[in-house]
Amino acid sequence: MVRFLLLNGPNLNRLGMREPHIYGHTTLAQLEKQLTEFASEYGAELTCYQSNYEGALIDQIHRAESLYDGIIFNPGAFTHYSYALRDAIASIQTPVIEVHISNIHAREPFRHQSVLAPVTAGQIVGLGVNGYRLAILALLDIVEGKEK
Amino acid sequence: MVRFLLLNGPNLNRLGMREPHIYGHTTLAQLEKQLTEFASEYGAELTCYQSNYEGALIDQIHRAESLYDGIIFNPGAFTHYSYALRDAIASIQTPVIEVHISNIHAREPFRHQSVLAPVTAGQIVGLGVNGYRLAILALLDIVEGKEK
Amino acid sequence: MVRFLLLNGPNLNRLGMREPHIYGHTTLAQLEKQLTEFASEYGAELTCYQSNYEGALIDQIHRAESLYDGIIFNPGAFTHYSYALRDAIASIQTPVIEVHISNIHAREPFRHQSVLAPVTAGQIVGLGVNGYRLAILALLDIVEGKEK
Amino acid sequence: MVRFLLLNGPNLNRLGMREPHIYGHTTLAQLEKQLTEFASEYGAELTCYQSNYEGALIDQIHRAESLYDGIIFNPGAFTHYSYALRDAIASIQTPVIEVHISNIHAREPFRHQSVLAPVTAGQIVGLGVNGYRLAILALLDIVEGKEK
Amino acid sequence: MVRFLLLNGPNLNRLGMREPHIYGHTTLAQLEKQLTEFASEYGAELTCYQSNYEGALIDQIHRAESLYDGIIFNPGAFTHYSYALRDAIASIQTPVIEVHISNIHAREPFRHQSVLAPVTAGQIVGLGVNGYRLAILALLDIVEGKEK
Amino acid sequence: MVRFLLLNGPNLNRLGMREPHIYGHTTLAQLEKQLTEFASEYGAELTCYQSNYEGALIDQIHRAESLYDGIIFNPGAFTHYSYALRDAIASIQTPVIEVHISNIHAREPFRHQSVLAPVTAGQIVGLGVNGYRLAILALLDIVEGKEK
Amino acid sequence: MVRFLLLNGPNLNRLGMREPHIYGHTTLAQLEKQLTEFASEYGAELTCYQSNYEGALIDQIHRAESLYDGIIFNPGAFTHYSYALRDAIASIQTPVIEVHISNIHAREPFRHQSVLAPVTAGQIVGLGVNGYRLAILALLDIVEGKEK
Amino acid sequence: MVRFLLLNGPNLNRLGMREPHIYGHTTLAQLEKQLTEFASEYGAELTCYQSNYEGALIDQIHRAESLYDGIIFNPGAFTHYSYALRDAIASIQTPVIEVHISNIHAREPFRHQSVLAPVTAGQIVGLGVNGYRLAILALLDIVEGKEK
Amino acid sequence: MVRFLLLNGPNLNRLGMREPHIYGHTTLAQLEKQLTEFASEYGAELTCYQSNYEGALIDQIHRAESLYDGIIFNPGAFTHYSYALRDAIASIQTPVIEVHISNIHAREPFRHQSVLAPVTAGQIVGLGVNGYRLAILALLDIVEGKEK
Amino acid sequence: MVRFLLLNGPNLNRLGMREPHIYGHTTLAQLEKQLTEFASEYGAELTCYQSNYEGALIDQIHRAESLYDGIIFNPGAFTHYSYALRDAIASIQTPVIEVHISNIHAREPFRHQSVLAPVTAGQIVGLGVNGYRLAILALLDIVEGKEK
Amino acid sequence: MVRFLLLNGPNLNRLGMREPHIYGHTTLAQLEKQLTEFASEYGAELTCYQSNYEGALIDQIHRAESLYDGIIFNPGAFTHYSYALRDAIASIQTPVIEVHISNIHAREPFRHQSVLAPVTAGQIVGLGVNGYRLAILALLDIVEGKEK
Amino acid sequence: MVRFLLLNGPNLNRLGMREPHIYGHTTLAQLEKQLTEFASEYGAELTCYQSNYEGALIDQIHRAESLYDGIIFNPGAFTHYSYALRDAIASIQTPVIEVHISNIHAREPFRHQSVLAPVTAGQIVGLGVNGYRLAILALLDIVEGKEK
């Protein structure tokens, strides 16, 4: 069975509580439940983890290499400066897809750059929480080895 | 019935013939056929158009407002400097999803910036031609008005 | 008789339909009619042309040298990157006045720069469609050779 | 009756005496006389003021709010660094039109930027002293509330 | 009763021990005691927390929304790069006042920028540990809803 | 008796009249009265001065050395470019505290930098007109020689 | 027989008519005739094409792969921003030699950069229309496989 | 007896497992064992610590002041942005030598800058794991107070 | 008889009172007396003027054209941003020599640039108040028309 | 008889020995022999000189004015920073053609800029050692005074 | 027997005479003697060379390829701009270790960058003249082929 | 007796022969003779030296410490990039005055910066060859220890 890790970074525990005009009303717990069911329909087991600690996210990424077939990662604000997360992603073979709920390119300039993007397999940006579902489909596609 | 426009910009007529290690072996004709069928499975009609002329793409985007419910747009190298395409996209209500086959953030620095991204609904980057399929799903989601 | 060319660049065919809080409700056809009449009152014949193609605008500018006594040019987004239009303007003797309907200096940073301004005779910015009328008056003044 | 303020900044008292190939031979006194007559033909009363002191120009702008219907302002070199003038203009409702006699975009790089432009109603650049006349017409148009 | 959180970031546990010519001789424990008493005189209860972990500070800020009426925050070096703390502050309604003991604008260039300042209510900089007392007064003023 | 100078720069004579959503409704005269009373409660005599002339502010700062024990200075837009004021402040021993009513770091980029900050004793930013009161307290603290 | 394509970009149809102190007096038609004869002496067949449309030039470059053994390309102002032409050149195996009639490094700063140079085989700059002849010789040398 | 702390930052727990062409095949456990023995030969006791948490590394550095005579520190990616670590190092008297296994100046541009280097005693870069041994020797030299 | 103007800008009225390790102990009054005598020895009449007002300095420069044969100008901090003074100097034929007492290139970065230098005849920097004497000699040399 | 100087800068004495995939296998001695013969066929005498000393190259350029009709110059890495060589070239009337064996625009960023290009007659880049032959032809063309 | 070259660049002949608080009191002659003995203890023969001429250093590096097994190179100020030395180092197989006596990252900004570092094997910075000894040990380690 | 060194850098051997509109018609030999006589009138012995070699100039500066009381140095183009000369000047106690014949701030941008200026005693710029005479006077003033 295919196993994926859903990894959410800093402040995403506030999903559904904070700036709903940008991030919607779904809470993280609800979202994790929806996505687990969605993944399950496609025969994939989804494990969910969130932390506000950069170190904890690095630890999870290291462990992912032997435990998961792919990672769906919304790094929150770490997107823009965590070179340590970049190195962690670069150090594993497991494909990582970066998801951003809002269109980071339509917001403050500091959000335009992702220091992780050069080492993630791909990015899905601005498509709301639906972006997570698309990332699951994309990972399935990669795991099944379809021509890119 | 839902109608989408698949718009491909400069040099994408060379798909499958050029740098296959980056862009794969599928030709544009094959891809358009596959995506038309894929859209059709979801009840969407896909119209396909490709041009190397910026002006021709602008014309298509203007016409799209009354003809289509959404646009899947791979702007090729126009991504990085065509402010005229940006204005065209900004001038219509129809949602546009930007697709890039390769991970532009892992390539030359000039490719890191998209002048279109601030006005497109979202971006799907680096996921191969599968990115087009995900964009169709994302447009369906937007058209159906699911919570973002 | 004095002959002027009114040249409008990309997306200006959408005038009156797009972002009316910025560009007003007059369509391009209406505007061209009004300006032709206005010019006519001052004894000037106005020819109108619009295109979304950079190449087509360059062709018009080349032809203008032998056909017109001055050009009123709203280059739209080409303002900000079309060095080819700049070279076209620099290659003719006919004076060109650059018009921008909205105040480009109060909008996005990329709009602050005009790569054409160094080679146009002058610029009229932010004064709405009235800017076109002022440009006609300015060209008349130049043609009549008043002291600048 | 419509009342306008003609405001000229530093070094414009030297008009007609300095670099005539750029600024022409008309002195400031002559120009003020011509423009007062021109405005008068259109039913507008023009008050003229020039100073080399930034503080004096700020004082005039503050007073303008209750005394005038519009300001024609050539800020001279203050264009490029006087954020205090910018704040003064932003603090009043009276529309201000910025005039530059020469084409500042065809000269030294430091002249390309106007820190005032984002808060003025519009700019007329490079059209010689005729630019002042066009600014009077533009203000009349704004005061009469024509569609922009 | 009004409740405030005093939040100190990395290396502030070293207060009074490190570079006393810049930071003075008061230890963090002494300072927390003094400020608690000071707040108490004004009828405010002060809770004190320090951590060298960015994640721990984010957690505290999230919790503050329901527990406190305001936050006095000296973010230490996180001031200059923690966009994750910025997002945490932006995600809560509780006002945050940023305090810096030394004049960061008179030190190394990297210290001149605060990535938090755009989302904090205000900043008090360079006034020594007295800055914390002023921040308590400022928060009281905000809570009491005086005109700003 | 302790004597302080309250110095307000360009456009602050417009306080209460301009952009009240940013600067509040208190006029400068009212504010000066309130602050004089406030200072008086703490045994300090406050002298008030405002000018739109950079030169006049420099003169005041020079005179302050022998007349006052401290300066509360809101330099308005001079904050961002008046190196002459910077030199004036650096040339005296009297402590100067910089006050900004609004949060300059949350506004236009040119407002983020203060060329005066490296030579002022400290800065109080974004706390409304209450910032002036806090500055008086801070100056008292400095004059009384409490440990910073 | 060896076949080469001579490709000239925007405004080069004005050769001999525009700024003769920079570009000389030979018209494009005369130049094409001379170069065809010159190539013919070396046993090479030269096909000539000029356009002011970026899209038309891209189409020609795509077609060149099967039709020509080399391209002599003067991209005019597209040199400085057409990443779409860059991609077109990068997508073919046929060698391209970039020619600039004037010394672009001795002119305006924007002309110093060629976004095409990284993907062309070589550049010949500043040697007048003779540069085209040298480019033909260089292509012959490449085609004959001499040691570089 | 001389006591040193060997401090390794984020992702160095992956040593020997990740990108062996850059970092070699020795695991962190093996390396720590080798270095402990090496230090022991020179009469120095080596304590080893690794963490992916910036806060944990800061805590260790604070504790080092009273426990160790020197620190050998490979900060991993924190090298490039952790101003909090920089402050921690600056707050102690204990000398710190920065070690990088690979030549960071021959890799991606973001790796060229070390925000820690201005406050470390010295740096040893690009000499493989042997760099750690050299750092031990350098610390011994510093502790013994040889002329630098 | 040769007549020169000695012009000193903002804060130079504080000479001898401020930062004597940089500017020496001579007051402005003493310096003006010394220089007047020095000039007199060489048959030149020196008129002295100092102001903290940019506008007053501009007025003096304008008047200098008809009154003086040369200007010795220490613009103080206006050196670094007063484009209005630059225009004033450019508008007169009278030669201006820029003097800086301290070596501005060895101080803060903002002092490295002089916006006036491109339009002054020459600069004498870092040679203390002796620089004024050398400037008088240089002006004499220019007036006497020696070969430069 | 026409006389040319072939000038090679630093490290070109290593030609044929160093990085042959970039620079080929021909040694400098062989190349000088081939080019001397090539020039001779066209009636030109070629003198060859190479040095790793900037000063020696400057001396040669100075002497060239009276000895040669043209210079073929490969400045090696001096291309990118030797403003002294630039001044030397600018100080003579003899035309200089800059040759680079490899395509410097396709290599490291620092190689993209030539500080010499603004003062050389032209540049031939990326065409291998054949570039030297083309430069000889170009110089002959210049000497013979053909229309550029 | 292993042979190394000790290469010292400009101004290092002044070692021990210049700024001893930075560089110590050992003269170059003394240092060369000490290092020769040190190398000898490890069975390596050290040849010493110093020059203030860039060209002379390039010549030495070229010769080193056949004469030495490694180079210890302190390039002095050439570190920051000599691309010619960079090319010389890149053109040989012999490993080069860059040594800087003082911590260049704690000094003026222009010293932070080494244009040589990308092509040297490694760098030892800030460890005083002991850095030379460590470089000898590092070269021995490289020559003996230990795992890096 | 006071002894000074007159040091001229690259291309100054061409004085009087090159660009006389900028540098005048006096040759270096004539200038050296004039200056020697001028110095002699003031009781100073002048030794003259010119070289196009950076290394030779460094050697002279080193020797100057024991031989001369001051140096008049025109570094030519080395002004803008020779950090090695900067270090040489910084390593000696002898005062150095930098002379530039033309106004470098009114020429190409690369000439605006002097990397030597932070370590020279002062600069005399734009005053023609008379600048050398003023530098001799300035050095005499320094040697005699007058108040700066």
Side-chain angles (χ1 to χ4, degrees), chain G:
Chain G
M1 191 184 213
V2 176
R3 292 160 309 165
F4 293 150
L5 173 64
L6 173 68
L7 201 57
N8 277 292
N11 295 300
L12 284 154
N13 55 320
R14 302 274 296 166
L15 204 67
M17 292 179 265
R18 152 199 182 202
E19 300 164 275
H21 63 290
I22 302 179
Y23 298 105
H25 290 89
T26 313
T27 63
L28 183 58
Q30 292 167 333
L31 177 66
E32 290 178 342
K33 187 157 175 300
Q34 289 170 15
L35 292 175
T36 304
E37 290 166 8
F38 180 83
S40 165
E41 291 171 26
Y42 288 85
E45 185 186 52
L46 193 71
T47 304
C48 301
Y49 184 84
Q50 188 276 338
S51 177
N52 294 325
Y53 287 70
E54 189 185 24
L57 297 167
I58 294 170
D59 287 350
Q60 287 294 321
I61 291 168
H62 289 171
R63 294 180 57 240
E65 188 154 46
S66 56
L67 295 180
Y68 305 107
D69 300 296
I71 304 178
I72 299 113
F73 186 19
N74 183 338
F78 287 154
T79 306
H80 312 303
Y81 62 104
S82 178
Y83 289 104
L85 277 167
R86 177 188 176 125
D87 279 359
I89 294 169
S91 82
I92 60 169
Q93 299 295 324
T94 318
V96 177
I97 293 185
E98 198 179 328
V99 173
H100 299 284
I101 295 173
S102 68
N103 184 354
I104 56 178
H105 302 294
R107 301 180 63 192
E108 304 93 327
F110 76 83
R111 294 201 201 271
H112 297 186
Q113 186 197 18
S114 165
V115 303
L116 306 184
V119 296
T120 53
Q123 303 89 40
I124 296 174
V125 179
L127 298 172
V129 296
N130 193 36
Y132 289 105
R133 276 188 286 270
L134 299 175
I136 289 169
L137 296 177
L139 275 183
L140 285 166
D141 184 73
I142 290 171
V143 169
E144 292 165 18
K146 287 188 185 165
E147 185 208 30
K148 287 181 67 172

Side-chain angles (χ1 to χ4, degrees), chain A residues 52-73:
Chain A
N52 294 326
Y53 287 69
E54 188 186 25
L57 296 167
I58 295 170
D59 287 349
Q60 287 295 322
I61 290 168
H62 290 170
R63 293 179 59 239
E65 188 155 45
S66 55
L67 294 180
Y68 304 107
D69 301 297
I71 303 178
I72 299 112
F73 186 18

Side-chain angles (χ1 to χ4, degrees), chain J residues 118-130:
Chain J
V119 297
T120 54
Q123 304 90 39
I124 296 175
V125 179
L127 298 172
V129 296
N130 192 37

Side-chain angles (χ1 to χ4, degrees), chain F residues 125-136:
Chain F
V125 179
L127 298 172
V129 296
N130 192 36
Y132 289 103
R133 278 189 285 270
L134 299 176
I136 290 170

Side-chain angles (χ1 to χ4, degrees), chain B residues 15-142:
Chain B
L15 204 66
M17 293 178 265
R18 151 200 183 200
E19 300 164 275
H21 63 289
I22 302 179
Y23 298 105
H25 290 88
T26 313
T27 64
L28 182 59
Q30 292 167 333
L31 177 66
E32 290 178 343
K33 186 155 176 299
Q34 288 171 15
L35 293 174
T36 304
E37 290 167 6
F38 180 83
S40 164
E41 290 171 26
Y42 287 86
E45 185 186 53
L46 193 71
T47 303
C48 302
Y49 184 85
Q50 188 275 339
S51 177
N52 294 325
Y53 287 70
E54 189 185 24
L57 297 167
I58 294 171
D59 287 349
Q60 287 294 321
I61 290 168
H62 289 170
R63 294 179 59 239
E65 189 154 45
S66 55
L67 295 180
Y68 305 107
D69 300 295
I71 304 177
I72 298 113
F73 187 19
N74 183 337
F78 287 154
T79 305
H80 312 302
Y81 62 103
S82 179
Y83 288 104
L85 277 167
R86 178 189 175 125
D87 279 0
I89 293 169
S91 82
I92 61 169
Q93 300 295 324
T94 318
V96 176
I97 294 185
E98 196 179 328
V99 173
H100 299 284
I101 295 174
S102 67
N103 185 354
I104 57 179
H105 301 294
R107 300 180 63 191
E108 305 93 329
F110 76 83
R111 296 203 200 269
H112 297 187
Q113 186 197 17
S114 166
V115 303
L116 306 183
V119 296
T120 54
Q123 304 89 40
I124 296 174
V125 179
L127 298 172
V129 295
N130 192 37
Y132 288 104
R133 278 189 285 270
L134 299 175
I136 290 170
L137 295 178
L139 275 183
L140 285 166
D141 183 73
I142 290 171

Side-chain angles (χ1 to χ4, degrees), chain J residues 89-122:
Chain J
I89 293 169
S91 83
I92 61 170
Q93 300 295 325
T94 318
V96 176
I97 294 185
E98 197 178 329
V99 173
H100 300 284
I101 295 173
S102 68
N103 185 354
I104 57 178
H105 302 294
R107 300 180 62 192
E108 305 93 328
F110 76 83
R111 294 202 201 271
H112 297 187
Q113 185 197 19
S114 166
V115 304
L116 306 183
V119 297
T120 54

Side-chain angles (χ1 to χ4, degrees), chain C residues 17-74:
Chain C
M17 294 177 265
R18 150 200 182 202
E19 299 164 276
H21 63 290
I22 301 178
Y23 299 104
H25 290 89
T26 313
T27 64
L28 182 59
Q30 291 167 334
L31 177 65
E32 289 177 343
K33 186 158 175 299
Q34 289 171 15
L35 293 174
T36 304
E37 289 166 8
F38 180 83
S40 164
E41 290 170 26
Y42 288 87
E45 184 186 52
L46 193 71
T47 304
C48 302
Y49 185 84
Q50 189 275 338
S51 177
N52 294 326
Y53 288 69
E54 189 185 24
L57 297 167
I58 294 170
D59 287 350
Q60 287 294 322
I61 291 169
H62 289 170
R63 293 180 59 239
E65 189 154 46
S66 55
L67 295 181
Y68 304 106
D69 300 295
I71 303 178
I72 299 112
F73 186 19
N74 183 337

